[in-house]
Amino acid sequence: MAEAITLEKYLKINDKELAGLIMRIGKIAERISKELPYRRGKANTQNVFGETQLVADKWADEFIIKELRKSGLVKTMISEEQEDVVCLNDKGVFNVTLDPLDGSSNIESNNLVGTIFGIYKKDLPTKGKHQIGAVYILYGPVMTLVYATKNGVNEFLYAGKEFVLKEKNIKLPEPGKLYGIGGLRKDWFPKFRKYIKELEIQGYKLRYGGSFVGDFNQVLHYGGIFAYPSLVGKPIGKLRLFAESNPMAFIIKQAGGASTNGKYSILDINPESINQRTPTYIGNKKLINNLKKIL
Ligand code: AHM
Ligand code: MG
């Protein structure tokens, strides 16, 4: 059997510039997955979005900030759990966005959760198209780390003591098979409801788990569309531009797919606030182009 390619080795050959940061992120993920059984229940606090924080949300946020500060690699950070831009190290070369525990309401039911990073050299806030990389970790039956740069999208799985390459240069399968949509169906706008109905008639299967990382990961592997759409009474949807939508929009683009906020690519949204939300539609290019025409 061929020797497994470790994350460290792969980065050194293919994405040297980000090697130090992504290796750190891998170590952070290892620790988070070990702590999840013990960091349970609600914290008596709310985040800037008015959501009740869980012990795990707060712990992961503080832990990641501490570790990235120690690394000396990161200048500033925007986190879903922080109100303002956090300054980490003046000498840092990267600026990072963070969703420390995405889908954390799944913790109670032991469903999928993840961590999302967007990586920039430009100062934040800026457009998502200026990302130089993005990473997510999926704490699933097996922990996986997916990272993308302009060189492609690569997936690693945690095997015992380190991340090893599972698949390199991932491209979205054509045609896609799945769809997963957040929010209540009764609140979807009629045009969007009709679009989804047509996908169902074409044989697209519903896969929705309530964790962006988990649901996105399904689309990356089987093709299709994920959306947290504009809703009646909540036109900006739910997902956070910096912490959630931009990194995934970057990854899907490198995998040959596309994203939109209903009008144009998520990566082209001009940010007005670091905590802004955006309707998010992500998936195979053809599906996103058709959707844009309909919306
Ligand atoms: P979180 O980061 O606070 O967990 O919120 C984001 C999550 C996404 O992972 C997921 O797509 C969405 O919220 C699910 O929301 P809903 O429960 O409304 O379907
Ligand atoms: Mg989230």
Side-chain angles (χ1 to χ4, degrees), residues 267-284:
L267 298 171
D268 286 325
I269 297 176
N270 209 355
E272 286 162 13
S273 133
I274 65 163
N275 300 315
Q276 119 185 36
R277 299 179 194 261
T278 178
T280 298
Y281 311 86
I282 268 177
N284 288 57

Side-chain angles (χ1 to χ4, degrees), residues 14 16 47 54 62 78 91 103-104 106 132 134 138 142 156 158-159 180 212-213 226 229 248 269 277 293:
N14 299 286
K16 238 184 186 154
N47 66 11
L54 300 181
E62 283 158 20
I78 290 175
K91 297 204 176 77
S104 54
N106 277 355
I132 57 163
L138 177 60
V142 174
F156 296 80
Y158 190 71
F212 189 17
V213 169
F226 169 85
M248 297 315 215
I269 297 176
R277 299 179 194 261
K293 279 184 220 149

